[in-house]
Amino acid sequence: MGLDITVLIADRSWLAQVPSRERVSRLRDAWSADETGLWDYDAPRDEGGWLWPQGPNSAVFAEYDFLHTLGSFKAHFWAGHRWERVRDHVDPLLRTELDALLGGLIWDGLDGEAQRYDTGFFGEGGSYGVLLARSPESVRELAATWARVLPHLDGMRGHFTEHAAVPDGWVRDFDAFVDLLTQWGLVLNEAARRGWCVVGLSE
């Protein structure tokens, strides 16, 4: 049984109604409540993969359901691994930007010390099962990084194919890599547009 991930965006002002160390717990409790309807087998999803809850918190958070991942963190983990295989062959400016983007979301970094938890907004220490917790400020920075990266991604296709592609498994080719990043871009852009946080939970 592998690690899972549930990615949520949440209203900053709603989370800020409780002390910083309780904010992730507040979101987790709201997400897991029965009245959201998110646990129904046929819970409505819009075309972009968004699930909007029902009930009293319907306007303060949403879940993004990544396509082709079945809720597993494996695709995200392997995207980081593929990046490690190709990054030395990528233009240095693009490498720096992708290091920041992936390190801010799903990649542990070369030294395993990537910071994906904003203590300034969510408090010190982090909670069990929190894979990332980004404040609206860092969400905006990551969304801007994604906007700079996107026009240059195709330039690394050949390098990815040569150094990182595999015949099977998760994120086995460049298109799958870009597809996953593009979905993260959707999450970042929607949260940034609203001034919301991004949180990744594992149960």
Side-chain angles (χ1 to χ4, degrees):
M1 191 169 179
L3 189 67
D4 63 288
I5 184 172
T6 299
V7 174
L8 306 166
I9 62 172
D11 187 320
R12 173 194 193 122
S13 60
W14 173 69
L15 291 177
Q17 292 172 8
V18 298
S20 58
R21 289 182 63 97
E22 298 175 17
R23 290 170 185 169
V24 170
S25 296
R26 180 173 220 211
L27 177 57
R28 187 192 297 274
D29 290 346
W31 166 66
S32 60
D34 288 338
E35 60 264 26
T36 65
L38 296 176
W39 307 106
D40 297 340
Y41 178 75
D42 57 351
R45 288 164 168 77
D46 70 18
E47 293 180 3
W50 290 104
L51 291 84
W52 294 91
Q54 304 169 34
N57 296 314
S58 61
V60 294
F61 81 94
E63 176 182 340
Y64 185 79
D65 187 15
F66 280 81
L67 305 176
H68 316 302
T69 68
L70 304 176
S72 173
F73 188 73
K74 289 181 179 179
H76 309 275
F77 169 83
W78 283 108
H81 183 72
R82 306 290 180 237
W83 171 239
E84 289 181 13
R85 298 282 301 274
V86 73
R87 66 181 298 280
D88 287 344
H89 307 280
V90 173
D91 175 84
L93 293 177
L94 181 59
R95 181 191 313 145
T96 298
E97 297 279 32
L98 274 170
D99 278 352
L101 180 69
L102 294 171
L105 296 171
I106 56 174
W107 181 48
D108 288 335
L110 293 176
D111 57 7
E113 296 181 358
Q115 298 296 316
R116 299 193 299 265
Y117 191 96
D118 292 333
T119 58
F121 185 75
F122 291 99
E124 297 289 340
S127 303
Y128 174 77
V130 180
L131 301 179
L132 68 140
R134 307 314 311 243
S135 68
E137 292 79 13
S138 65
V139 167
R140 280 195 297 273
E141 291 174 6
L142 289 167
T145 302
W146 168 243
R148 293 191 297 270
V149 161
L150 181 58
H152 305 286
L153 275 180
D154 203 56
M156 61 179 276
R157 178 182 293 274
H159 296 302
F160 190 101
T161 300
E162 181 179 357
H163 300 286
V166 294
D168 52 32
W170 293 94
V171 193
R172 63 179 182 241
D173 58 25
F174 181 72
D175 289 334
F177 181 75
V178 171
D179 180 63
L180 189 69
L181 290 190
T182 300
Q183 291 183 71
W184 273 111
L186 292 174
V187 171
L188 292 171
N189 287 340
E190 183 64 24
R193 183 180 72 80
R194 294 171 176 268
W196 284 15
C197 304
V198 174
V199 176
L201 301 176
S202 178
E203 298 302 304

